[in-house]
Amino acid sequence: MGVVISLEEGKNKSASVKPLVDLTKTDMDRVNQLILSKAGSDVQMIPEVANHLISSGGKRLRPMLTLASASMFGYQGEGHVKLATSVEFMHTATLLHDDVVDESDLRRGKSTARMIWGNQASVLVGDFLLGQAFKMMVDVGSLEALDVLATAAAVIAEGEVLQLSVAKNLETTEDDYLSVIRAKTAALFAAAAEVGPIIANADKASRSALRSYGMNLGYAFQMVDDALDYGGKSADLGKNVGDDFREGKITLPVILAFRRGTQEEQAFWRSAIEKGESSDENLEKALGLITKHDALKDTIARALHYGKIARDALAPLPAGPLKDAMMEVIDFTIQRVN
Amino acid sequence: MGVVISLEEGKNKSASVKPLVDLTKTDMDRVNQLILSKAGSDVQMIPEVANHLISSGGKRLRPMLTLASASMFGYQGEGHVKLATSVEFMHTATLLHDDVVDESDLRRGKSTARMIWGNQASVLVGDFLLGQAFKMMVDVGSLEALDVLATAAAVIAEGEVLQLSVAKNLETTEDDYLSVIRAKTAALFAAAAEVGPIIANADKASRSALRSYGMNLGYAFQMVDDALDYGGKSADLGKNVGDDFREGKITLPVILAFRRGTQEEQAFWRSAIEKGESSDENLEKALGLITKHDALKDTIARALHYGKIARDALAPLPAGPLKDAMMEVIDFTIQRVN
């Protein structure tokens, strides 16, 4: 069940994250070292739980953004490696807590930490990683970078609570959805990209440009993720098609299909999402309605819109391979749907 | 079931926290204002959950320590109010997560947040308060204070995981126990007291003195708490006698009674703690064994030992009402057992 998306502008049709990976490779090796060392503890359960998730094969897009956005402005030093590691730890901590909150069994195709070590360990190891993240940030010594990342931490948690309170509520509007994904995803992308120019002492305009790039890339990233949940394959995705459906999550494909549906269809959505009648048969029906109302196609179209804003945010910056690589990541993020 | 403790030195037999409360009252009013404002959010569930715990009547000893330890060195400014609020938020976040980890129903005589709003909200609101705490610390702008508090955050989480991994294990030694309570309680007391002299630009010796005072007060505080669980009244304590027993927690009274017990008694402890046979009858038996082996009395004796170290840590500092009040808090902390 693939989704065909049309990149209207006919731009880069086989975009890849590879140029960014290559350009940040030396620094990412140091980030990976630091991740291993800072997830270490005499308390054996901590590295076990942390490494289970850390080694589960995420692309580490967020720390790469921090490294690239610092290097872009000629940063020389160690701070970007520490901040990139902090960003990845903040993300990992969020995932550990999310899996507890969502009662998820699988993430990226592997059992979640909570299924192996229990909810308790997932909550506490998440807290530990967050503490380690803050220690590393403090170590870098930039109060401005600290401010950006601490604010992101509070916003992320606030967004997760918001998501909890709109859960299973089909009255959720597209604006509500945007607020949730801004907080739970886009805010960390924005912070990850903004701290680069901050520690490189770049000017205010560059800092705003990178923040806007990260924020809008984050919107696009989450929307595509939410689309994939109704149209990806478990192996690629590391989760099963329909996980969000079974959890009653209100994501953009559902919001669009529900709003565009007949009364009868809306009654179906209510029973499925609000009352949890999420059998395989109902998932099939939901997928049919999503297709009927172009809800996936339009979710991707919305993602493309934010991708374009990210592109325009970066456009004024001087040309160079890092800028090109970051531009390509926008297309890559959206083309994951294919 | 009270415990009679002997303050061998015949010191202050009706010690009170009141002098400290009185001396910090003006600043604590501002802390309480800031707590309300920073626990606020457009996401309605956040202030509900946060205020449930915040308003449940803890003594707010930790933020008072921060205020007192800054004022002691003539600090003029706003920073101590923000740091004190951060300390209380860190503590509140820990409690929210603890209740999830321990599956507790009651705290300070009220239903825990997780019983009312669920585990999910408790995890996420805890994360939010932690984020807000870091934002306030960053706002104060002292990298040294940030370092102390961020380190405490990581240590606390590490200690909670350690506690999880020694849970229900009767081979836990008194040293293991000390490591756990150092991390889960003493580290935050130490940080709360140390950031005062830091932002007041006091000298290194004063900073060490306050840190040592806080650390050892924290040890004493936790030991007395653990004693109370086998000898307090539910109304005073806000928890029921025997909660730790029913959860299979390995605290000092159990460690001492177990180590001093006959083979038969040790077999009883194993079935009670390791296998969870924690009926009321078994609780009565456990209380009997704890009394037989002077395990409560000696837990308090250990607490007195740390109280004396706290006293000696503070002793070299110039005399004054704040110092007197902080000395009295040591005795008060231990006399709570009566």
Side-chain angles (χ1 to χ4, degrees):
Chain A
M1 168 127 357
V3 180
V4 180
I5 60 155
S6 55
L7 286 166
E8 296 101 320
E9 308 84 2
K11 283 195 188 118
N12 201 343
K13 291 205 182 197
S14 58
S16 165
V17 72
K18 193 169 179 298
L20 186 65
V21 170
D22 292 343
L23 287 167
T24 56
K25 184 173 184 320
T26 313
D27 285 340
M28 272 307 288
D29 287 346
R30 292 158 68 208
V31 167
N32 289 329
Q33 281 298 319
L34 197 57
I35 285 176
L36 286 177
S37 118
K38 295 292 177 180
S41 165
D42 293 338
V43 182
Q44 198 189 340
M45 200 192 282
I46 291 178
E48 281 177 14
V49 176
N51 291 333
H52 173 75
L53 187 53
I54 288 168
S55 68
S56 71
K59 284 193 192 59
R60 305 209 174 151
L61 193 49
R62 295 163 189 81
M64 282 196 289
L65 290 182
T66 300
L67 296 175
S69 70
S71 301
M72 230 176 151
F73 299 97
Y75 177 74
Q76 302 285 334
E78 292 292 319
H80 65 329
V81 170
K82 289 179 183 165
L83 291 179
T85 307
S86 300
V87 163
E88 185 66 6
F89 274 13
M90 285 173 67
H91 175 55
T92 308
T94 306
L95 296 184
L96 281 166
H97 288 185
D98 265 10
D99 286 339
V100 173
V101 168
D102 294 345
E103 300 175 353
S104 304
D105 303 343
L106 277 183
R107 170 169 307 270
R108 295 180 196 144
K110 287 171 71 175
S111 293
T112 53
R114 73 174 204 99
M115 296 303 289
I116 304 175
W117 291 276
N119 283 338
Q120 305 169 319
S122 295
V123 170
L124 296 176
V125 175
D127 289 351
F128 174 75
L129 292 178
L130 210 54
Q132 292 292 72
F134 275 106
K135 276 178 71 175
M136 279 185 281
M137 291 172 211
V138 172
D139 223 27
V140 174
S142 160
L143 281 167
E144 278 189 297
L146 266 163
D147 188 32
V148 165
L149 288 166
T151 301
V155 165
I156 291 167
E158 197 170 22
E160 303 275 351
V161 186
L162 179 61
Q163 185 173 34
L164 203 60
S165 58
V166 303
K168 305 191 182 195
N169 178 1
L170 282 161
E171 304 306 319
T172 304
T173 62
E174 183 164 346
D175 284 320
D176 296 333
Y177 168 79
L178 283 173
S179 298
V180 168
I181 71 170
R182 179 185 183 94
K184 69 172 247 189
T185 306
L188 188 55
F189 272 78
E194 187 180 4
V195 293
I198 288 176
I199 57 165
N201 287 316
D203 61 12
K204 192 98 183 159
S206 304
R207 190 177 147 166
S208 301
L210 268 292
R211 178 169 185 81
S212 173
Y213 165 81
M215 185 70 81
N216 287 287
L217 178 64
Y219 277 125
F221 182 91
Q222 187 60 52
M223 287 177 177
V224 171
D225 240 35
D226 291 341
L228 282 167
D229 205 87
Y230 285 97
K233 293 195 199 85
S234 182
D236 310 339
L237 192 59
K239 52 182 188 176
N240 304 306
V241 168
D243 274 353
D244 289 351
F245 180 75
R246 279 181 287 267
E247 288 171 17
K249 269 197 195 162
I250 309 289
T251 58
L252 191 51
V254 173
I255 291 171
L256 294 177
F258 176 77
R259 302 212 152 233
R260 294 169 182 179
T262 62
Q263 278 206 330
E264 193 193 341
E265 288 167 5
Q266 294 197 344
F268 162 77
W269 284 111
R270 283 191 212 284
S271 65
I273 298 279
E274 295 181 356
K275 294 187 193 133
E277 294 170 10
S278 56
S279 62
D280 285 355
E281 197 189 330
N282 277 349
L283 174 58
E284 280 307 311
K285 182 162 179 189
L287 288 166
L289 293 177
I290 282 173
T291 305
K292 173 184 170 189
H293 292 294
D294 285 337
L296 268 200
K297 189 169 145 281
D298 287 350
T299 294
I300 304 300
R302 304 286 211 269
L304 274 168
H305 162 83
Y306 290 100
K308 286 178 196 165
I309 301 177
R311 178 174 292 281
D312 280 321
L314 218 50
L317 295 179
L322 278 166
K323 180 178 166 184
D324 291 346
M326 289 172 89
M327 286 289 195
E328 192 168 341
V329 162
I330 304 171
D331 293 335
F332 164 75
T333 293
I334 298 169
Q335 289 176 20
R336 290 184 301 155
V337 176
N338 282 318
Chain B
M1 169 124 0
V3 181
V4 179
I5 59 155
S6 55
L7 286 166
E8 296 100 318
E9 307 83 3
K11 282 194 187 118
N12 201 345
K13 291 202 182 201
S14 58
S16 165
V17 71
K18 191 169 179 300
L20 186 65
V21 169
D22 291 344
L23 287 167
T24 57
K25 184 174 183 322
T26 313
D27 285 339
M28 272 308 287
D29 287 346
R30 291 158 67 209
V31 168
N32 289 329
Q33 281 299 318
L34 197 56
I35 285 175
L36 286 177
S37 117
K38 294 291 176 180
S41 164
D42 293 339
V43 182
Q44 198 189 340
M45 201 192 280
I46 291 178
E48 280 178 15
V49 176
N51 291 332
H52 173 76
L53 188 53
I54 288 167
S55 67
S56 72
K59 285 192 190 61
R60 305 209 174 152
L61 193 48
R62 294 162 190 81
M64 280 196 290
L65 290 182
T66 299
L67 296 175
S69 71
S71 301
M72 231 176 153
F73 299 97
Y75 178 75
Q76 302 284 335
E78 292 292 320
H80 65 329
V81 171
K82 289 179 183 165
L83 291 179
T85 307
S86 300
V87 164
E88 185 67 7
F89 272 15
M90 284 174 67
H91 175 56
T92 308
T94 307
L95 297 184
L96 281 167
H97 288 185
D98 266 9
D99 287 338
V100 173
V101 168
D102 295 344
E103 300 176 352
S104 304
D105 303 343
L106 277 183
R107 171 163 312 266
R108 294 179 197 145
K110 286 171 72 173
S111 292
T112 53
R114 73 173 203 99
M115 296 302 288
I116 305 175
W117 291 276
N119 282 337
Q120 306 170 318
S122 295
V123 170
L124 297 175
V125 174
D127 290 350
F128 174 76
L129 292 178
L130 211 53
Q132 292 291 71
F134 276 105
K135 275 178 71 174
M136 277 185 281
M137 292 172 210
V138 173
D139 222 27
V140 174
S142 160
L143 281 167
E144 279 189 296
L146 266 163
D147 189 30
V148 165
L149 289 166
T151 301
V155 166
I156 291 166
E158 198 171 20
E160 303 274 351
V161 186
L162 179 62
Q163 186 173 34
L164 202 60
S165 57
V166 303
K168 306 194 180 189
N169 178 2
L170 281 160
E171 304 306 319
T172 304
T173 63
E174 183 164 345
D175 284 320
D176 296 332
Y177 168 80
L178 284 173
S179 297
V180 168
I181 71 170
R182 179 185 182 93
K184 67 173 249 189
T185 306
L188 187 56
F189 273 78
E194 188 180 2
V195 294
I198 287 176
I199 56 165
N201 286 316
D203 61 13
K204 191 95 183 162
S206 304
R207 190 177 146 166
S208 301
L210 267 292
R211 178 170 185 80
S212 174
Y213 165 82
M215 185 70 80
N216 287 287
L217 179 64
Y219 278 124
F221 182 91
Q222 187 60 52
M223 288 177 176
V224 171
D225 239 36
D226 291 341
L228 282 167
D229 205 87
Y230 286 96
K233 294 196 198 81
S234 183
D236 308 339
L237 191 59
K239 53 182 187 176
N240 303 306
V241 168
D243 274 351
D244 289 349
F245 180 75
R246 279 181 286 267
E247 289 170 19
K249 269 197 195 164
I250 310 289
T251 59
L252 193 50
V254 173
I255 290 171
L256 295 177
F258 176 77
R259 304 215 149 230
R260 295 169 182 180
T262 63
Q263 277 204 330
E264 192 193 344
E265 288 168 6
Q266 294 197 344
F268 162 76
W269 284 112
R270 285 191 211 283
S271 65
I273 299 280
E274 296 181 354
K275 296 189 192 129
E277 293 170 10
S278 55
S279 62
D280 284 356
E281 199 188 329
N282 278 349
L283 174 59
E284 279 308 312
K285 183 163 180 191
L287 288 166
L289 293 177
I290 282 173
T291 304
K292 173 185 171 191
H293 292 293
D294 285 338
L296 267 199
K297 191 171 144 281
D298 287 350
T299 295
I300 304 301
R302 304 286 211 267
L304 274 168
H305 161 83
Y306 291 100
K308 286 178 197 165
I309 301 177
R311 178 175 293 280
D312 280 321
L314 217 50
L317 296 177
L322 278 165
K323 181 179 167 184
D324 292 345
M326 288 170 89
M327 287 289 195
E328 191 168 343
V329 162
I330 303 170
D331 293 335
F332 164 76
T333 293
I334 299 170
Q335 288 175 21
R336 289 183 301 155
V337 176
N338 280 319

